[in-house]
């Protein structure tokens, strides 16, 4: 995932809920015994560091939430996926920059493509 490194020169845009999703995934991996408990605090701190220093975080304001709600009536999206896509739409509309939507869920990527995003699935690059 070299595209996410600061040296790649890309702006990484995430929703404010992304760190909650990451913390949840880490906790699940810890419970499953996939990640050792002593590593979890280090990874959490790393996540928080990147959020504070490298990523543009889109807040979950009412306009984003209304857009997310509306997206669920158009596409077969889960709640959090709709919020992620709504944040991407907000960023695209307000930054006037080309945005590539990165995700691994096919429904989400299809919806993002329908909304005019270039898309990429990191699982295709493993």
């Amino acid at each position: 995932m070299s595209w996410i490194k600061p040296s790649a020169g890309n702006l990484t845009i995430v929703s404010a809920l992304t760190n909650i999703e990451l913390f949840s995934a880490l906790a699940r991996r810890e419970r499953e015994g996939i990640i050792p408990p002593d590593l979890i605090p280090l990874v959490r701190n790393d996540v928080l560091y990147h959020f504070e220093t490298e990523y543009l975080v889109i807040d979950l304001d009412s306009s984003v939430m209304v857009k997310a709600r509306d997206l669920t009536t158009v596409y077969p999206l889960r709640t959090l996926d709709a919020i992620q896509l709504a944040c991407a739409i907000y960023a695209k509309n307000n930054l006037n920059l080309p945005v590539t939507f990165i995700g691994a869920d096919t429904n989400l990527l299809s919806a993002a493509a329908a909304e005019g995003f270039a898309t990429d699935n990191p699982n295709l690059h493993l």
Side-chain angles (χ1 to χ4, degrees):
M1 295 196 310
S2 61
W3 50 265
I4 201 167
K5 293 181 181 179
S7 60
N10 296 318
L11 174 62
T12 301
I13 304 166
V14 297
S15 81
L17 70 86
T18 302
N19 65 1
I20 299 167
E21 288 186 298
L22 289 170
F23 272 50
S24 174
L26 288 170
R28 185 175 67 247
R29 298 295 190 289
E30 180 183 13
R31 285 189 300 274
E32 294 168 349
I34 295 169
I35 299 176
D38 59 326
L39 187 58
I40 296 295
L42 300 172
V43 177
R44 285 182 183 150
N45 286 338
D46 195 40
V47 165
L48 292 174
Y49 172 80
H50 290 292
F51 268 77
E52 293 174 12
T53 63
E54 297 174 11
Y55 301 162
L56 173 61
V57 179
I58 304 298
D59 289 327
L60 305 180
D61 68 14
S62 61
S63 68
V64 168
M65 300 307 276
V66 167
K67 183 63 177 177
R69 180 197 64 204
D70 294 345
L71 288 168
T72 65
T73 67
V74 179
Y75 306 108
L77 296 173
R78 295 179 300 226
T79 303
L80 297 180
D81 290 343
I83 294 170
Q84 293 286 11
L85 182 53
C87 287
I89 291 168
Y90 176 90
K92 183 176 80 168
N93 291 342
N94 289 287
L95 295 177
N96 297 317
L97 295 171
V99 177
T100 299
F101 192 94
I102 310 294
D105 181 274
T106 55
N107 285 336
L108 179 54
L109 289 174
S110 294
E115 290 293 321
F117 288 96
T119 62
D120 195 8
N121 183 336
N123 291 333
L124 300 177
H125 307 286
L126 297 177

